[in-house]
Amino acid sequence: MPSSAPSDRPGRPDRSGASGLLVAGTSSDAGKSVIVAGLCRALARRGVKVAPFKAQNMSNNSMVCLDGGEIGRAQYLQAQAARLEPTTAMNPVLLKPGTDRRSFVVVRGEPAGTLEAGQYAVGRAHLADAAFAAYRELADEYELVVCEGAGSPAEINLRAGDYVNMGLAREFGLPVVVVGDIDRGGILASLYGTWALLGEEDRALLKSFVINKFRGDASVLEPGLDEITDRTGVPFHGVIPWLLDVWLDSEDTLEVGHWRASTALSATSRDRLKVAVIRLPRISNATDVDALAAEPGVDVLVTVDAAVAESADLLMLPGSRSTASDLEWLRERGLADVVAARVAAGRPVLGVCGGYQMLGHEIEDDVEGQVGVVPGLGHLPVRTEFGQAKVLARPAGSWDGHPVDTAYEIHHGIATLGGLRPTGAPQEPAPEPFLDGWSVGSVWGTMWHGAFESDGFRRAWLAQVARAAGSQWQPHADAPGFAERRERMLDTLADALEEHVDIDALLALTRIGATT
């Protein structure tokens, strides 16, 4: 059985079976990322040398590898689940939407031009070549590659140029697991419809169905599952329950804040800290808020509501893939006025990356948005100029004696001190260094993503925010750190898959099963 597979198999992986398996979904956010992360951790615990892979992401949530390359945040986490150092081979193609019709292309971690909407179906042959080459690298090095699909494999309008779903599976003979989210409703129709829309040769690779986010008595599902298997010949290998304590670095910005309660912020409890995060249209690296939301007593709401933004103890402007455009949107929604009122009253505001740039007095962008010079919100004395070269870095620093070693940078815009004094601050205090950026009074700005994953810094800074906001919140010194919480989450997820998914049956479809 796979559980007895030794961890020290000599030489290259056996070639007598499939080099990996593909986890596809009935839709976006069906649970593909969760299943891949869980499988990677479960298999790593069994001693299998396993690696994650996603041929192409379309996401503005990304991370910088130690080698300086950029990959999707979900694949970065999946590599951590497999107990590996992430590399660009694990997500060779990353598309970062800049508008509704254009995406910026990242290949093997580096910028590689743009992709227009009309090119998406058939204009990606060179990207497929890069993706397949990366897969071969991983297949040569690891015993098993657990692949994540994108969207749905039944998007027949995109099948001709597909190299992420069935195109990948066909290229490497991968068995396919299709995951469906029962919480969305219509799960049986979604699974059957996926099978029915696939062409005959693609359908032959569909080997397993798995249901995600089930609540209740699984026996109620059994007649339906049996009927779907009778009609398709595809067995069900798992029904995963709703896992309340599992959250993942999402690649889908539509799901920002999905794992947090996000209906309202309490206006009464002063021993809690209330954080409102503006959900920008092109929000980028929104996973920055996860570390804040994981802190005991901190309530985070991702919102576009001006009243919520005004009432929170802390207002955060997150990163953006289209800074100038999102800044204009802030003004149109009246949210720029909310920021100005908070600054004038000395109430805390934080800007990260694009949000930091917006808080400055001027932005010159002839690269990303190609808008020339536009005025910023004017609350920090910095000017941002966009350059052709993209900054990809893993910096380290400190604040108030607290080390920060979890940060990363992904940006074209360079923010420098100088120019106008900040507007709206009651006494216009002098700017002070804040990580790589600056603060003025209760306004802070930094280009560093991920900094708040450093526990000591996060707690000390939030304590200062609480004092400025008049909140009685205090950090819990005995609370688990963010990295520890993430590890616990990955183990919880792996435990759930070991209990509710027939992992051995899935491995039997691969070369792992062929060698044990």
Side-chain angles (χ1 to χ4, degrees):
M1 297 296 289
S3 58
S4 64
S7 60
D8 57 348
R9 291 193 185 105
R12 291 155 65 92
D14 190 288
R15 296 295 177 184
S16 58
S19 54
L21 59 87
L22 172 67
V23 178
T26 56
S27 66
S28 294
D29 198 44
K32 300 184 292 291
S33 296
V34 171
I35 303 303
V36 171
L39 285 174
C40 284
R41 175 51 58 91
L43 296 177
R45 295 193 312 196
R46 290 183 177 204
V48 176
K49 190 179 179 185
V50 60
F53 178 77
K54 185 161 185 173
Q56 174 195 287
N57 260 343
M58 179 174 280
S59 175
N60 279 328
N61 283 339
S62 57
M63 181 64 181
V64 180
C65 301
L66 284 180
D67 62 6
E70 181 182 5
I71 66 172
R73 184 83 187 204
Q75 276 58 65
Y76 196 93
L77 180 65
Q78 289 161 359
Q80 292 178 315
R83 300 191 172 120
L84 299 176
E85 184 61 47
T87 72
T88 59
M90 296 170 184
N91 176 207
V93 179
L94 177 62
L95 305 182
K96 309 190 77 172
T99 71
D100 290 340
R101 299 188 62 81
R102 177 183 297 118
S103 290
F104 298 93
V105 181
V106 177
V107 176
R108 293 305 294 260
E110 298 294 335
T114 60
L115 187 71
E116 305 296 328
Q119 300 173 302
Y120 190 80
V122 295
R124 300 180 293 162
H126 65 298
L127 303 181
D129 291 342
F132 291 163
Y135 180 90
R136 291 187 184 96
E137 288 180 29
L138 295 177
D140 281 347
E141 184 175 355
Y142 293 92
E143 292 179 295
L144 194 70
V145 184
V146 182
C147 307
E148 179 182 340
S152 164
E155 294 168 348
I156 53 179
N157 55 312
L158 302 176
R159 179 61 183 90
D162 170 51
Y163 60 92
V164 190
N165 292 307
M166 302 313 299
L168 177 71
R170 287 273 293 278
E171 179 72 15
F172 297 103
L174 305 179
V176 178
V177 182
V178 172
V179 179
D181 178 0
I182 198 170
D183 199 52
R184 294 171 178 262
I187 184 65
L188 299 181
S190 297
L191 291 170
Y192 182 78
T194 299
W195 175 87
L197 283 171
L198 294 180
E200 193 169 322
E201 292 182 321
D202 287 349
R203 191 183 295 166
L205 292 173
L206 206 171
K207 302 296 185 181
S208 175
F209 288 137
V210 171
I211 288 178
N212 191 30
K213 298 182 185 176
F214 181 74
R215 307 187 222 201
D217 183 356
S219 66
V220 176
L221 274 177
E222 290 177 3
L225 306 189
D226 292 343
E227 180 66 21
I228 293 297
T229 297
D230 288 344
R231 295 190 184 198
T232 65
V234 179
F236 282 81
H237 283 133
V239 177
I240 304 169
W242 182 280
L243 301 173
L244 182 63
D245 294 328
V246 168
W247 46 271
L248 289 175
D249 298 335
S250 176
E251 68 186 30
D252 188 351
T253 55
L254 294 176
E255 297 302 324
V256 170
H258 184 65
W259 64 276
R260 290 173 289 277
S262 56
T263 55
L265 291 175
S266 168
T268 56
S269 180
R270 297 310 301 163
D271 61 348
R272 303 189 69 83
L273 190 67
K274 298 175 283 295
V275 180
V277 180
I278 299 299
R279 193 196 184 292
L280 301 169
R282 298 294 171 191
I283 192 170
S284 176
N285 289 80
T287 48
D288 284 328
V289 306
D290 286 350
L292 303 180
E295 193 68 31
V298 176
D299 299 322
V300 173
L301 178 64
V302 181
T303 185
V304 296
D305 188 321
V308 173
E310 192 282 327
S311 65
D313 295 317
L314 169 66
L315 177 62
M316 176 178 174
L317 302 182
S320 168
R321 192 58 186 85
S322 187
T323 303
S325 174
D326 281 354
L327 175 57
E328 181 180 4
W329 175 87
L330 275 180
R331 290 185 164 115
E332 292 173 350
R333 297 277 309 199
L335 291 165
D337 296 333
V338 172
V339 175
R342 292 183 65 95
V343 174
R347 303 183 62 217
V349 176
L350 168 68
V352 176
C353 199
Y356 171 37
Q357 296 167 358
M358 294 178 196
L359 289 171
H361 69 84
E362 190 172 81
I363 298 170
E364 183 176 354
D365 178 9
D366 294 315
V367 177
E368 185 179 80
Q370 299 180 350
V371 295
V373 177
V374 297
L377 297 176
H379 304 305
L380 288 175
V382 296
R383 183 181 190 276
T384 299
E385 183 174 351
F386 279 70
Q388 291 291 341
K390 190 174 192 178
V391 176
L392 298 169
R394 293 280 294 272
S398 64
W399 177 82
D400 198 28
H402 298 280
V404 175
D405 55 9
T406 55
Y408 60 100
E409 294 182 73
I410 304 175
H411 55 90
H412 283 279
I414 305 297
T416 55
L417 183 67
L420 303 176
R421 293 283 289 169
T423 60
Q427 299 176 345
E428 295 195 349
E432 298 181 357
F434 178 67
L435 302 178
D436 68 315
W438 296 92
S439 68
V440 174
S442 292
V443 183
W444 294 270
T446 176
M447 295 299 296
W448 288 5
H449 295 292
F452 293 100
E453 294 181 23
S454 292
D455 300 325
F457 160 67
R458 178 182 68 253
R459 290 167 179 168
W461 182 78
L462 285 175
Q464 180 170 319
V465 168
R467 290 192 294 271
S471 170
Q472 298 173 11
W473 178 87
Q474 293 182 354
H476 294 228
D478 58 346
F482 187 73
E484 181 182 350
R485 283 179 58 100
R486 176 176 278 151
E487 281 296 303
R488 287 183 184 179
M489 178 268 293
L490 289 170
D491 282 328
T492 296
L493 179 55
D495 290 343
L497 265 61
E498 290 281 12
E499 181 178 356
H500 298 285
V501 176
D502 191 345
I503 296 176
D504 291 336
L506 299 182
L507 291 182
L509 302 169
T510 73
R511 63 188 179 194
I512 293 292
T515 59
T516 58

